[in-house]
Amino acid sequence: MPNYLKSTGWAVPCLLLVSTLCAGQAPLPEPVTDQETELGQAVYSQLKEKGEIVESSPLYETLRPIAEAISKEAQPRYNHPFKFFIVHETQPNAFATPGGNVYVVDSLFYFVKNTEQLAGTLCHEVSHTIHRDAVHRLKEQQRIERRELGAALLLGPSLAQMIAIQMLGDLHSLAYSRDVESKADVTGSDVCAATGYNPWGLVWLFDEFQNADTKQIPQLLSDHPANGDRIKTLRQHFRDHPSVFAKFDSKPESATPLVVPKNAAEQFLKP
Ligand SMILES: [Zn+2]
């Protein structure tokens, strides 16, 4: 199958159905073929069980063009298709799991000020997947046997579920080091630049956090004292690669407004 068809989860079913039927729908999860898809599937099952996964919503219309553009650029760097799911949680947030699933909390669409900030956040998340940060962290923690994650064999339903619960906790608690976060910012800015979305979006988001009330900052991005360092690292990366980044306007006034339906209705995937 050509890559442009494989790049997003909803591309294939949409070819088979009338496109308007599935335009606002969650993608179908990837079948389990290895440990990464198995962990991804186990986290998906957890979120589904908690009733968090949004099955259909007009918000998918807002997400789709951004997710498609990012997937197209990020896909050659990862061996499973990226799929973007909307979830309902209390805090605006986004997180990615092994296997290619990226979760975007519905309120993030209303939290960000423009398209570039949302695109920057999603580019950052797919970069964690490209770098295999979640799997590396699991190995570091050694809460499970190295050989179980190292061997090619599947983990089995109970172990995969146990790890998934732990992983979900980590993804909600700033588990990554500043260095790992900065590396995801840098790769994310490369991915965003390749899509044409202004990579300054992530800098604008951090700039706002510097001045914002801590309670209003998404948990995953609220690494407050480190934001200055993350901005510095990004600015340096932009300076070091003028052929890629010089063409982008650093001023937030140049941003593209994000079109989000007001009070978008949501239907949840039944547990
Ligand atoms: Zn991160």
Side-chain angles (χ1 to χ4, degrees):
M1 194 187 299
N3 259 337
Y4 65 88
L5 288 184
K6 277 203 261 182
S7 65
T8 61
W10 45 62
V12 175
C14 281
L15 287 176
L16 304 173
L17 300 167
V18 179
S19 63
T20 49
L21 281 179
C22 52
Q25 297 278 332
L28 295 169
E30 191 66 3
V32 170
T33 54
D34 63 5
Q35 281 183 355
E36 290 195 29
T37 49
E38 187 183 27
L39 288 170
Q41 180 63 254
V43 173
Y44 176 89
S45 300
Q46 286 297 315
L47 291 167
K48 188 179 162 194
E49 209 166 283
K50 291 200 276 177
E52 287 190 16
I53 296 180
V54 177
E55 186 179 28
S56 70
S57 163
L59 286 174
Y60 276 110
E61 307 270 5
T62 303
L63 176 62
R64 189 166 53 158
I66 303 171
E68 280 181 349
I70 292 172
S71 299
K72 190 165 163 270
E73 296 305 328
Q75 204 57 76
R77 301 173 184 224
Y78 189 65
N79 62 335
H80 296 292
F82 284 110
K83 298 187 180 194
F84 292 75
F85 297 87
I86 296 172
V87 287
H88 180 75
E89 292 190 349
T90 47
Q91 281 221 326
N93 206 351
F95 51 94
T97 70
N101 293 347
V102 180
Y103 296 96
V104 190
V105 174
D106 45 13
S107 57
L108 185 69
F109 290 90
Y110 300 95
F111 178 86
V112 296
K113 297 264 167 38
N114 50 58
T115 304
E116 290 82 358
Q117 289 182 346
L118 180 61
T121 307
L122 302 186
C123 286
H124 170 94
E125 291 306 327
V126 299
S127 300
H128 278 311
T129 304
I130 291 168
H131 296 163
R132 294 189 156 76
D133 288 331
V135 174
H136 292 149
R137 183 173 153 77
L138 280 173
K139 287 183 180 175
E140 273 167 23
Q141 286 171 320
Q142 294 191 322
R143 288 187 203 158
I144 48 166
E145 292 286 326
R146 266 173 193 273
R147 61 188 161 80
E148 285 172 320
L149 269 176
L153 296 170
L154 295 181
L155 299 160
S158 53
L159 183 58
Q161 193 191 13
M162 192 194 83
I163 299 171
I165 292 168
Q166 176 191 325
M167 191 178 266
L168 254 180
D170 273 1
L171 291 168
H172 287 87
S173 67
L174 291 173
Y176 294 137
S177 69
R178 186 181 305 185
D179 185 47
V180 166
E181 291 298 349
S182 252
K183 284 186 173 131
D185 291 340
V186 165
T187 301
S189 73
D190 292 341
V191 170
C192 261
T195 64
Y197 286 116
N198 190 337
W200 282 93
L202 209 49
V203 174
W204 300 336
L205 198 61
F206 291 147
D207 273 339
E208 274 174 32
F209 292 168
Q210 306 272 64
N211 310 314
D213 174 358
T214 320
K215 286 195 214 89
Q216 292 173 350
I217 297 170
Q219 207 174 10
L220 203 73
L221 295 165
S222 69
D223 194 6
H224 232 240
N227 282 340
D229 291 342
R230 289 173 69 179
I231 292 172
K232 251 188 247 167
T233 304
L234 273 175
R235 283 179 176 273
Q236 188 62 49
H237 183 61
F238 295 169
R239 271 197 299 274
D240 289 345
H241 302 88
S243 62
V244 178
F245 295 102
K247 62 174 176 277
F248 293 105
D249 194 332
S250 64
K251 291 188 290 299
E253 297 77 51
S254 68
T256 317
L258 183 68
V259 181
V260 189
K262 283 211 175 77
N263 305 315
E266 292 179 326
Q267 275 192 320
F268 291 91
L269 205 58
K270 291 198 177 61

